Amino acid sequence: MPRDSDSVLVDEDGTGTGQRHPARRRRARILLYVVLAIVALLFIFPFYFMAVGAFQKDPTTTLSSLAPTGRWTLSNFATINERLGLLRALANSLVFTAGVLAGTLVFGLAAGYALARLNWRGRGALFVIMLGVQMVPFQLLMIPLYVQIAGNYGLGDTYAGMILPSLINTTAVFIFRQFFRSLPESIFEAARIDGASELRVLRSIAIPMVRPAIATVVLITFIGPWNEFLWPFLITKDSSMQPLAVALANYISNVAGTVANPNGAILAGACTLAFPVVILFCLFQRYFTASDIGAGIKG
Amino acid sequence: MTTSTSVAPTSTPGLPRPATRDPWWRRLLGKQPLGLGMSLPYIVFLALVMAYPLGYAVYISFFDYVFTAPGVHADHPFVGLANYRAVLSDPRVLDSFGNIAVFLVINVPLTVILSMVLASALNSLTRWTAAFRVAFYVPYVTASVSLIGVWMLMFSDDGLVNSLLGPLAPDPSWLVNSHLAMPSIALFVTWKQLGFYVLLYLAALQNVPRELYESAQVDGAGAVQRFRHITVPGVRSATLLVLVLAIITGSNLFTEPYLLTSGGGPDGASASPVLLIYQKGIQQGNPDLASAIGVILVILVGLLSLASTRLTKED
């Protein structure tokens, strides 16, 4: 993100008082970088700890083990795989996440477009309801949803039951609406005058123009189901249906106490769950910025 | 601008079209009824997994309700406020609300102050900003379950933190100490969520006019003064958002007490209301009591959010 000289805490271009103390100004800026770097290390350190420990034969948690020189191994991954079927759990996580992504992209995109560009009765009411929805905590809905989905619909231990409560991400609908609203009306008018149907306008004009929004929505929506613990934990009793977050949590709370040294296996499982997301967000960080998120949250 | 006389009267903006010219469905559904069709899946979704369960939760909380096998009929007599009286006289429930109060007192001020300071520091730099931003939000995008696995090891009895502290290490250790379990969870959640709030503040800072800082600087205002008198009031609406979101996130605490302190331990010192909703509603089969806790929780969150609105209002 290109940024010209800013001056919230530190002066970049010497005006006013700063000009008289260029050396002091430089020192202050270097100090700021050092402080931020230390804070950033605090944020990243547990990931380093996780990654190193996952490949150590017997990860201890003393200072000397932080920079190991040898004894690298893959046995922790083999152990956790034996216990909870790592590939099966990863596949369950992927199906859960793909279902939510598909629902959000198809239905959320359509709703976002209708809210932003079409004139129909109930549009204002739906928008107000969406604002209200963000205030309702899922935890209040947990019990009735469980009765409804596991009991009435008989969807316990199914992917459909897992996906249903998060099928369409409301934050994503907000983001789509915001992006569609920012497109100039003249493009749409021109297409309509040329005789394009409303659906064709959406498919050939609007959607290609909001590609960055789609990238942002994929990132934001991805972390929901991939990381979610509570709902899939409630709805799956069959361990072969559990996504990785649930399987790993069960290992931590039930199995870990019964084996000799579970640390390596826990860290290997934690790595498998964490690093796909970490890599995704490092690669596509430019689609996860202040303005994208702001648009989604404030509506 | 000249007005054209050839404009058809039906498309004159501001003037209502003559109603008789529209077919009935257009009058009922609006000018572009396709919009309703395109939103219909989302509307059905909201009704099915939001509105209906919300009403059902409130309903259950006024009845004596038990789970039954499909097809089995059981009476659900109306009991008025009995469920509410039962949970409000249960010391474990009251303790869980007290625990959340401890959590919020630590988490909310830390979150607001740290994210505001980090965002404005980041906003003042020109290089490495993307790298810092990613470093700050990486915990936010990572699964709680993964990070809890790491924190458990780091804060265990013979873990990294205690070996760094040496003789200063608390006894009993962090997560099994009834005074430190909840503060440890509050610190964990602050650390995990902070990057998201930094992003919100970064967005708000884009709207604070650069000239304000420049003229304040010309007037001789130092960095701290500029932060207090320009940044803090300039991002006030973001502060309200951060307060409300932090309060909602904190009140919904479940995974951390369930895993990090193994079921709200030690001895219920880190139990949260949502953990009790799970234990009472799903494990012990009392959805009526669980729903009553949920309704009380939502009312308290609503009151706290209202108080935040007052607090961040301009004086």
Side-chain angles (χ1 to χ4, degrees), chain B residues 80-101:
Chain B
L81 292 172
N83 291 323
Y84 289 89
R85 274 198 295 275
V87 295
L88 285 175
S89 57
D90 181 345
R92 290 193 57 212
V93 174
L94 297 179
D95 284 349
S96 76
F97 281 104
N99 293 339
I100 281 297

Short mmCIF file of all heavy atoms in Angstrom, two decimals, chain B residues 80-101:
data_model
loop_
_atom_site.label_atom_id
_atom_site.label_comp_id
_atom_site.label_asym_id
_atom_site.label_seq_id
_atom_site.Cartn_x
_atom_site.Cartn_y
_atom_site.Cartn_z
N GLY B 80 -43.64 -19.55 33.69
CA GLY B 80 -43.37 -18.15 33.97
C GLY B 80 -41.89 -17.89 34.15
O GLY B 80 -41.07 -18.31 33.33
N LEU B 81 -41.54 -17.24 35.25
CA LEU B 81 -40.14 -16.84 35.46
C LEU B 81 -39.35 -17.87 36.28
O LEU B 81 -38.25 -17.59 36.72
CB LEU B 81 -40.10 -15.48 36.15
CG LEU B 81 -40.59 -14.30 35.30
CD1 LEU B 81 -40.70 -13.04 36.12
CD2 LEU B 81 -39.65 -14.07 34.11
N ALA B 82 -39.93 -19.07 36.47
CA ALA B 82 -39.28 -20.04 37.35
C ALA B 82 -37.86 -20.38 36.89
O ALA B 82 -36.95 -20.51 37.72
CB ALA B 82 -40.13 -21.31 37.43
N ASN B 83 -37.66 -20.52 35.57
CA ASN B 83 -36.31 -20.83 35.08
C ASN B 83 -35.34 -19.70 35.43
O ASN B 83 -34.19 -19.95 35.78
CB ASN B 83 -36.32 -21.04 33.56
CG ASN B 83 -37.05 -22.31 33.18
OD1 ASN B 83 -36.95 -23.31 33.87
ND2 ASN B 83 -37.80 -22.25 32.09
N TYR B 84 -35.83 -18.48 35.29
CA TYR B 84 -34.97 -17.32 35.58
C TYR B 84 -34.63 -17.29 37.07
O TYR B 84 -33.49 -17.04 37.46
CB TYR B 84 -35.66 -16.02 35.17
CG TYR B 84 -35.73 -15.87 33.66
CD1 TYR B 84 -36.81 -16.37 32.95
CD2 TYR B 84 -34.70 -15.27 32.96
CE1 TYR B 84 -36.87 -16.27 31.57
CE2 TYR B 84 -34.74 -15.16 31.59
CZ TYR B 84 -35.83 -15.65 30.90
OH TYR B 84 -35.87 -15.56 29.53
N ARG B 85 -35.65 -17.58 37.92
CA ARG B 85 -35.38 -17.61 39.36
C ARG B 85 -34.37 -18.70 39.69
O ARG B 85 -33.45 -18.50 40.47
CB ARG B 85 -36.69 -17.85 40.13
CG ARG B 85 -37.45 -16.56 40.41
CD ARG B 85 -38.47 -16.75 41.53
NE ARG B 85 -39.53 -17.68 41.15
CZ ARG B 85 -40.63 -17.32 40.47
NH1 ARG B 85 -40.81 -16.05 40.14
NH2 ARG B 85 -41.53 -18.20 40.14
N ALA B 86 -34.53 -19.85 39.01
CA ALA B 86 -33.62 -20.98 39.29
C ALA B 86 -32.17 -20.63 38.93
O ALA B 86 -31.26 -20.87 39.74
CB ALA B 86 -34.07 -22.21 38.51
N VAL B 87 -31.97 -20.05 37.74
CA VAL B 87 -30.57 -19.78 37.37
C VAL B 87 -30.00 -18.63 38.18
O VAL B 87 -28.81 -18.63 38.51
CB VAL B 87 -30.38 -19.52 35.85
CG1 VAL B 87 -30.72 -20.76 35.06
CG2 VAL B 87 -31.18 -18.34 35.36
N LEU B 88 -30.84 -17.65 38.54
CA LEU B 88 -30.30 -16.50 39.28
C LEU B 88 -30.02 -16.84 40.74
O LEU B 88 -29.33 -16.10 41.43
CB LEU B 88 -31.25 -15.31 39.17
CG LEU B 88 -31.23 -14.60 37.80
CD1 LEU B 88 -32.28 -13.52 37.74
CD2 LEU B 88 -29.84 -14.05 37.51
N SER B 89 -30.54 -17.97 41.21
CA SER B 89 -30.20 -18.36 42.58
C SER B 89 -29.15 -19.48 42.59
O SER B 89 -28.83 -20.03 43.63
CB SER B 89 -31.45 -18.81 43.33
OG SER B 89 -32.06 -19.86 42.63
N ASP B 90 -28.63 -19.81 41.40
CA ASP B 90 -27.58 -20.83 41.30
C ASP B 90 -26.22 -20.15 41.43
O ASP B 90 -25.84 -19.35 40.57
CB ASP B 90 -27.72 -21.54 39.94
CG ASP B 90 -26.68 -22.64 39.75
OD1 ASP B 90 -25.70 -22.66 40.53
OD2 ASP B 90 -26.86 -23.45 38.83
N PRO B 91 -25.48 -20.43 42.51
CA PRO B 91 -24.19 -19.73 42.69
C PRO B 91 -23.23 -19.93 41.53
O PRO B 91 -22.43 -19.04 41.21
CB PRO B 91 -23.64 -20.33 43.99
CG PRO B 91 -24.44 -21.55 44.25
CD PRO B 91 -25.77 -21.36 43.59
N ARG B 92 -23.29 -21.09 40.86
CA ARG B 92 -22.36 -21.32 39.75
C ARG B 92 -22.65 -20.36 38.59
O ARG B 92 -21.74 -19.90 37.91
CB ARG B 92 -22.46 -22.77 39.27
CG ARG B 92 -21.88 -23.76 40.27
CD ARG B 92 -21.69 -25.11 39.65
NE ARG B 92 -20.85 -25.05 38.47
CZ ARG B 92 -20.99 -25.86 37.42
NH1 ARG B 92 -21.95 -26.75 37.39
NH2 ARG B 92 -20.17 -25.75 36.40
N VAL B 93 -23.95 -20.09 38.37
CA VAL B 93 -24.32 -19.16 37.30
C VAL B 93 -23.85 -17.75 37.66
O VAL B 93 -23.24 -17.05 36.84
CB VAL B 93 -25.84 -19.19 37.07
CG1 VAL B 93 -26.24 -18.13 36.06
CG2 VAL B 93 -26.27 -20.57 36.59
N LEU B 94 -24.11 -17.35 38.90
CA LEU B 94 -23.69 -16.01 39.33
C LEU B 94 -22.18 -15.86 39.24
O LEU B 94 -21.67 -14.84 38.77
CB LEU B 94 -24.18 -15.74 40.75
CG LEU B 94 -25.71 -15.72 40.91
CD1 LEU B 94 -26.10 -15.46 42.35
CD2 LEU B 94 -26.35 -14.69 39.98
N ASP B 95 -21.47 -16.93 39.65
CA ASP B 95 -20.00 -16.89 39.55
C ASP B 95 -19.55 -16.72 38.10
O ASP B 95 -18.59 -16.00 37.83
CB ASP B 95 -19.39 -18.17 40.13
CG ASP B 95 -19.41 -18.17 41.64
OD1 ASP B 95 -19.70 -17.09 42.21
OD2 ASP B 95 -19.15 -19.22 42.26
N SER B 96 -20.25 -17.39 37.18
CA SER B 96 -19.82 -17.31 35.79
C SER B 96 -19.99 -15.88 35.26
O SER B 96 -19.16 -15.40 34.50
CB SER B 96 -20.58 -18.31 34.92
OG SER B 96 -21.89 -17.86 34.66
N PHE B 97 -21.05 -15.21 35.70
CA PHE B 97 -21.21 -13.81 35.29
C PHE B 97 -20.12 -12.95 35.93
O PHE B 97 -19.58 -12.04 35.30
CB PHE B 97 -22.61 -13.29 35.63
CG PHE B 97 -23.66 -13.72 34.64
CD1 PHE B 97 -24.55 -14.74 34.95
CD2 PHE B 97 -23.73 -13.14 33.38
CE1 PHE B 97 -25.50 -15.16 34.02
CE2 PHE B 97 -24.67 -13.55 32.45
CZ PHE B 97 -25.56 -14.57 32.77
N GLY B 98 -19.77 -13.26 37.18
CA GLY B 98 -18.67 -12.55 37.84
C GLY B 98 -17.35 -12.76 37.10
O GLY B 98 -16.57 -11.83 36.90
N ASN B 99 -17.14 -14.02 36.64
CA ASN B 99 -15.90 -14.31 35.89
C ASN B 99 -15.82 -13.49 34.62
O ASN B 99 -14.75 -13.00 34.25
CB ASN B 99 -15.84 -15.80 35.53
CG ASN B 99 -15.68 -16.69 36.75
OD1 ASN B 99 -15.23 -16.23 37.80
ND2 ASN B 99 -16.08 -17.93 36.64
N ILE B 100 -16.96 -13.37 33.93
CA ILE B 100 -16.98 -12.59 32.69
C ILE B 100 -16.71 -11.11 33.00
O ILE B 100 -16.04 -10.42 32.23
CB ILE B 100 -18.34 -12.77 31.98
CG1 ILE B 100 -18.35 -14.10 31.25
CG2 ILE B 100 -18.59 -11.66 30.98
CD1 ILE B 100 -17.31 -14.22 30.16
N ALA B 101 -17.20 -10.64 34.16
CA ALA B 101 -16.91 -9.25 34.54
C ALA B 101 -15.41 -9.06 34.70
O ALA B 101 -14.84 -8.08 34.20
CB ALA B 101 -17.65 -8.90 35.83
#
